[in-house]
Amino acid sequence: IQFHPTAFKNPPDEEPFLISEAVRGEGAVLRTLDGHAFMPAYHTMKDLAPRDIVARAIDHEMKTRGDACVHLDVSHLSEQFFRERFPHISEYCISKGVDVPHDPIPVVPAAHFTCGGVVTGLDAETTIPGLFAAGEAACTGVHGANRLASNSLLEALVFSRQALNRSVETGMHRHEPPEIHATWTTGQHNQSLEAVRIVNCRDALRRLMWDYVGIVRTDDRLNHAKIRCNVLKEEIDTYFNEGHINAQLLELRNLAQIAEIIIASALTRKESRGLHYNLDYPHLSNPPKDTVVQKNTAGNPEVTLRTVTS
């Protein structure tokens, strides 16, 4: 999971609003709440360091000082320039009571992109005939251990076109869907599922992943996360198998499965590389290896490391 270093500090129940890295590109400076510019201590590029390094630096400063956020100082920019260059950011900040560029912007890291996904070839084909994947859902191999900023749209466009061309070339788009012989059945339940149960499970999963599988990881936290995630999955699967099928439960079930895969992958990788930073294994392994997840015979995710080939 890639963490965007600078999201506006909102309450937990509000959607994150990203403060573009282009703001730092215009010279904005990250400061602690008492005004200290801290990025020179973390990287020679200071506030223009790669986003994973900036996110870890902000996380470290917040945890060390006990602060709820850091400040993004844009006071060197004129009001006219900032509002013309960043109209949406300016409008959002003002709506939150922050008078930019005179006031500093309160920011925190936030989960951003899923890096990796379903493994594909150069034509966006997966190992399932007729199934293609592109964009954030796919692992195309073009990013490596850290997604490059602004490449996501280009990647999605290129591989979507590859998928289309391959589908037309093989005539796959004209195939009739296979006949379904088996029927899917669920248990019978006479009472509707209380919405509060889904909300509580989702909140618990979100807190679990942020606190134990976040920007900086340790094997101890990851092992605790694995145990707690399994408990949540069992509860969610119980609701699912009882027949409480709705969009919110299906989304929650998907989130729990992805959380399980992320935890399993993180525990398998005994190094720190790109977006994955583990205090127990701070160095790179040699040679580099891809993390590959497949279902085993029991239907559970099984993680292996595969040497990267060019």
Side-chain angles (χ1 to χ4, degrees), residues 5-305:
T6 52
F8 192 95
K9 177 65 174 70
N10 276 327
D13 58 341
E14 289 188 25
E15 289 295 317
F17 181 88
L18 302 184
I19 305 300
S20 170
E21 293 188 289
V23 177
R24 283 185 285 119
E26 295 291 351
V29 175
L30 286 162
R31 300 184 185 275
T32 55
L33 299 189
D34 60 5
H36 172 64
F38 57 87
M39 279 309 301
Y42 291 91
H43 198 276
T44 55
M45 293 177 66
K46 303 177 184 179
D47 296 273
L48 298 180
R51 61 175 58 172
D52 60 313
I53 294 174
V54 177
R56 286 200 298 273
I58 294 173
D59 179 73
H60 183 263
E61 292 293 331
M62 288 170 55
K63 287 178 177 175
T64 301
R65 296 169 177 267
D67 293 336
C69 64
V70 296
H71 282 160
L72 187 62
D73 181 3
V74 292
S75 59
H76 67 292
L77 299 174
S78 71
E79 184 173 326
Q80 180 179 356
F81 177 86
F82 190 89
R83 298 191 178 182
E84 289 178 357
R85 178 72 173 85
F86 307 109
H88 297 300
I89 295 175
S90 177
E91 181 181 349
Y92 186 86
C93 289
I94 290 172
S95 74
K96 293 291 184 177
V98 177
D99 183 19
V100 285
H102 312 293
D103 296 339
I105 305 172
V107 293
V108 294
H112 189 29
F113 265 80
T114 302
C115 298
V118 182
V119 177
T120 71
L122 293 179
D123 289 325
E125 289 180 288
T126 71
T127 56
I128 300 176
L131 179 65
F132 297 83
E136 194 178 1
C139 179
T140 59
V142 302
H143 288 304
N146 197 349
R147 187 184 73 85
L148 301 176
S150 303
N151 271 19
S152 54
L153 178 59
L154 179 61
E155 178 190 15
L157 288 171
V158 169
F159 282 91
S160 294
R161 181 177 179 179
Q162 291 292 93
L164 172 63
N165 291 342
R166 180 62 176 166
S167 177
V168 172
E169 177 187 315
T170 59
M172 216 173 283
H173 63 299
R174 292 193 298 269
H175 291 180
E176 291 294 325
E179 184 180 351
I180 299 175
H181 297 286
T183 57
W184 179 55
T185 59
T186 63
Q188 300 300 315
H189 207 277
N190 296 326
Q191 294 181 337
S192 60
L193 181 64
E194 295 173 314
V196 69
R197 298 194 185 188
I198 295 179
V199 172
N200 283 342
C201 280
R202 187 178 180 121
D203 287 346
L205 184 64
R206 179 172 57 195
R207 290 196 304 270
L208 170 69
M209 294 301 288
W210 182 260
D211 292 340
Y212 290 84
V213 200
I215 298 171
V216 177
R217 299 164 175 175
T218 67
D219 277 1
D220 182 62
R221 287 202 292 262
L222 290 171
N223 279 310
H224 277 81
K226 181 178 180 179
I227 295 170
R228 296 188 183 191
C229 185
N230 286 338
V231 172
L232 282 170
K233 278 188 83 270
E234 287 180 7
E235 181 179 350
I236 295 165
D237 286 342
T238 297
Y239 301 146
F240 182 82
N241 293 330
E242 287 177 347
H244 299 293
I245 307 303
N246 58 48
Q248 291 75 27
L249 180 62
L250 292 176
E251 182 179 52
L252 177 60
R253 187 169 181 259
N254 292 343
L255 289 170
Q257 290 175 340
I258 294 297
E260 180 184 32
I261 290 172
I262 292 170
I263 294 166
S265 299
L267 278 168
T268 303
R269 185 167 289 279
K270 307 301 183 184
E271 66 163 351
S272 290
R273 184 183 297 273
L275 306 174
H276 170 71
Y277 190 81
N278 190 327
L279 290 174
D280 295 321
Y281 307 98
H283 304 296
L284 293 171
S285 65
N286 188 25
K289 296 179 183 292
D290 282 329
T291 308
V292 182
V293 184
Q294 293 179 305
K295 278 189 175 181
N296 58 25
T297 54
N300 298 316
E302 187 173 278
V303 184
T304 58
L305 294 177

